[in-house]
Amino acid sequence: MRPKASDFPSPVIVTSSEEVARLCNKLKQEPFVTIDTEFVREKTYWPELCLVQLAGAEDVAVIDTLAPGIDLAPLGELLDEPGCIKVFHAARQDLEIFLHIFDRLPQSLFDTQVAAMVAGFGDQVGYDSLVGAITGNAIDKAHRFSDWSARPLTKAQIAYAAADVTHLRTVYLALRKQLEDEGRLRWADAEQAVLTSEETFRPDPRRLWEKLKARTNNRRMLGILREIAAWREKEAQNADIPRQRVIRDESLLEIAAIKPENVETLARVRGVTRGFAEGRMGQGLLEVVRVGENLPESELPKPPSKSDRGRPSAALVALLRVLQTAKCEMHKVAPRLVASSEDLDRIALGETDVGALKGWRREVFGLDALALVRGEIALAVVKGCVELQRVAPDGEPADA
């Protein structure tokens, strides 16, 4: 029987260190706890945590993390408890927050968004849609854009925040049972492995230039771009402001291209003010440009390019995509989990060290993908569905 909203305990607002300790010590004894957060980030680099919602078998609590003097150390201990599974939906932002606060990631994670993709609920299914599909309950999203840093909180805000962890208990139990019954729990575990690595949430500042997608093969320009992108990241972190508030992406790209030598040249860059160019940040940026200009050739980055691999046949890639869709329909799993566009390109080129050809993906898609590339299978439409047909050595379908 699906629980109704009234079946859950009324949420308790937690505002003192003693209440946090009492709650977390109790929840540590449970097999799993559902967790969510509310935060604001528009004006800061680091998210400002405003609420932590927790639900156990008998408790639904909303921790007011902005309450004066509140100690969240017991929450960190709960997150460390390996015997208690921490259940999130779309966990990445929550985990980034906890890593920043406690300098470590929670142990024993389960992400219901990842599990839902493995279980066939589609790509990146939203929490409200998943709750509706599994429990039949509707989530009121009227407070989605609340200012969670404002106090006092209203009863409606507290109820909205609590709903994100109450229904999650039912969703978790249903998904876990389905994955266990279908033998797919290991698939979900493999997909969630990335959430246990600090590198996922603390990228190397010297790799951030790659995301700017500079359209050049000029290694010197790329070297400068690498240095100034890393400089911007550190400045944003130290000042706790969004990186785009330090200096925008397009300005970084122009600076890397023109290599300004002085304040006058820097101030002419689009998006750079005279005050910025003359100030501490402007001077620091000019120094980093010079560092990039003086890098030895051996230390300059190579332009990211697919040209080294050649171009795959567009028709073959299209066939692989059809195969991917057909196999994912058959196995009821989200296509984006199985293979990326780059995976398909690499498979079409005959590469074998590809994620889509390993682990559970190999069983679902990889083996047939390789057979398709080798010409050992063909795709046919039978009664409105795509089916695989083995191809005989003479090129005719094996059953023809």
Side-chain angles (χ1 to χ4, degrees):
M1 180 177 178
R2 290 172 175 170
K4 302 175 183 177
S6 57
D7 294 334
F8 296 108
S10 298
V12 175
I13 186 76
V14 175
T15 58
S16 73
S17 300
E18 293 76 13
E19 291 171 318
V20 172
R22 189 160 48 247
L23 171 68
C24 292
N25 287 336
K26 181 179 180 182
L27 292 177
K28 278 197 300 186
Q29 311 306 314
E30 302 205 13
F32 73 94
V33 60
T34 53
I35 308 177
D36 191 36
T37 65
E38 304 296 345
F39 58 91
V40 292
R41 196 177 192 169
E42 290 78 9
K43 298 179 181 179
T44 59
Y45 180 93
W46 307 108
E48 180 185 8
L49 181 61
C50 302
L51 297 176
V52 176
Q53 303 97 281
L54 301 169
E58 300 175 345
D59 301 276
V60 179
V62 177
I63 301 176
D64 182 359
T65 56
L66 299 183
I70 195 165
D71 182 7
L72 297 180
L75 174 61
E77 295 172 5
L78 170 61
L79 296 176
D80 288 341
E81 176 55 50
C84 176
I85 296 173
K86 271 64 70 175
V87 181
F88 298 84
H89 182 83
R92 283 180 179 255
Q93 292 189 91
D94 304 313
L95 297 180
E96 180 189 8
I97 290 170
F98 290 136
L99 177 60
H100 178 59
I101 293 175
F102 300 115
D103 199 33
R104 59 191 184 275
L105 288 169
Q107 300 296 306
S108 305
L109 301 175
F110 190 97
D111 189 326
T112 56
Q113 186 179 69
V114 174
M117 288 191 283
V118 173
F121 285 87
D123 289 347
Q124 293 184 307
V125 60
Y127 177 67
D128 48 347
S129 299
L130 188 58
V131 168
I134 290 179
T135 74
N137 291 304
I139 301 294
D140 181 4
K141 306 302 287 186
H143 293 277
R144 180 179 298 187
F145 301 107
S146 283
D147 179 0
W148 294 105
S149 64
R151 294 294 182 272
L153 297 167
T154 67
K155 290 183 178 179
Q157 284 179 304
I158 294 171
Y160 166 86
D164 282 344
V165 289
T166 49
H167 296 295
L168 190 56
R169 290 183 59 84
T170 307
V171 168
Y172 164 70
L173 291 171
L175 284 175
R176 189 175 185 92
K177 183 178 187 307
Q178 179 180 339
L179 294 177
E180 287 175 344
D181 290 346
E182 296 175 350
R184 297 189 180 190
L185 195 56
R186 64 186 177 88
W187 297 11
D189 289 342
E191 294 310 303
Q192 292 171 147
V194 68
L195 300 177
T196 65
S197 171
E198 292 188 10
E199 293 180 2
T200 302
F201 308 95
R202 290 176 172 169
D204 181 356
R206 291 175 62 79
R207 296 292 301 274
L208 294 179
W209 67 274
E210 297 169 357
K211 295 184 178 181
L212 299 178
K213 300 188 184 303
R215 297 179 180 178
T216 180
N217 290 325
N218 185 319
R219 294 182 63 199
R220 179 62 58 186
M221 175 181 168
L222 294 178
I224 295 172
L225 184 62
R226 181 182 65 191
E227 300 302 318
I228 62 178
W231 168 87
R232 179 181 68 171
E233 196 70 9
K234 293 173 184 176
E235 288 287 338
Q237 291 178 0
N238 291 337
D240 194 18
I241 58 176
R243 60 177 67 94
Q244 298 291 334
R245 290 270 300 275
V246 176
I247 187 168
R248 299 189 66 81
D249 290 350
E250 53 267 29
S251 300
L252 284 186
L253 289 166
E254 184 176 349
I255 289 167
I258 67 172
K259 303 184 285 291
E261 298 178 355
N262 51 49
V263 168
E264 293 298 325
T265 311
L266 179 59
R268 286 197 292 270
V269 172
R270 185 175 180 180
V272 175
T273 65
R274 165 68 64 169
F276 177 95
E278 293 177 345
R280 179 190 66 80
M281 283 193 178
Q283 292 301 313
L285 182 53
L286 288 171
E287 291 175 8
V288 174
V289 170
R290 287 193 287 272
V291 170
E293 285 190 284
N294 293 324
L295 287 172
E297 288 288 331
S298 60
E299 295 182 16
L300 295 176
K302 295 181 180 179
S305 172
K306 297 181 181 179
S307 59
D308 293 342
R309 298 200 306 261
R311 283 184 170 276
S313 163
L316 179 53
V317 171
L319 282 177
L320 286 167
R321 196 175 302 281
V322 172
L323 175 66
Q324 176 190 16
T325 303
K327 296 291 289 186
C328 289
E329 283 182 355
M330 181 188 307
H331 290 278
K332 295 182 173 60
V333 62
R336 71 181 298 271
L337 276 184
V338 173
S340 66
S341 295
E342 184 178 358
D343 286 341
L344 299 183
D345 287 349
R346 294 175 64 188
I347 293 170
L349 288 168
E351 296 187 31
T352 56
D353 187 17
V354 181
L357 302 179
K358 300 176 181 178
W360 66 268
R361 293 178 179 83
R362 183 177 181 84
E363 304 168 24
V364 171
F365 169 72
L367 289 174
D368 286 326
L370 291 172
L372 180 66
V373 171
R374 291 193 299 261
E376 297 171 356
I377 61 172
L379 304 178
V381 177
V382 179
K383 296 182 180 179
C385 296
V386 174
E387 292 189 359
L388 279 61
Q389 294 185 350
R390 295 293 160 184
V391 176
D394 59 4
E396 295 295 328
D399 57 354

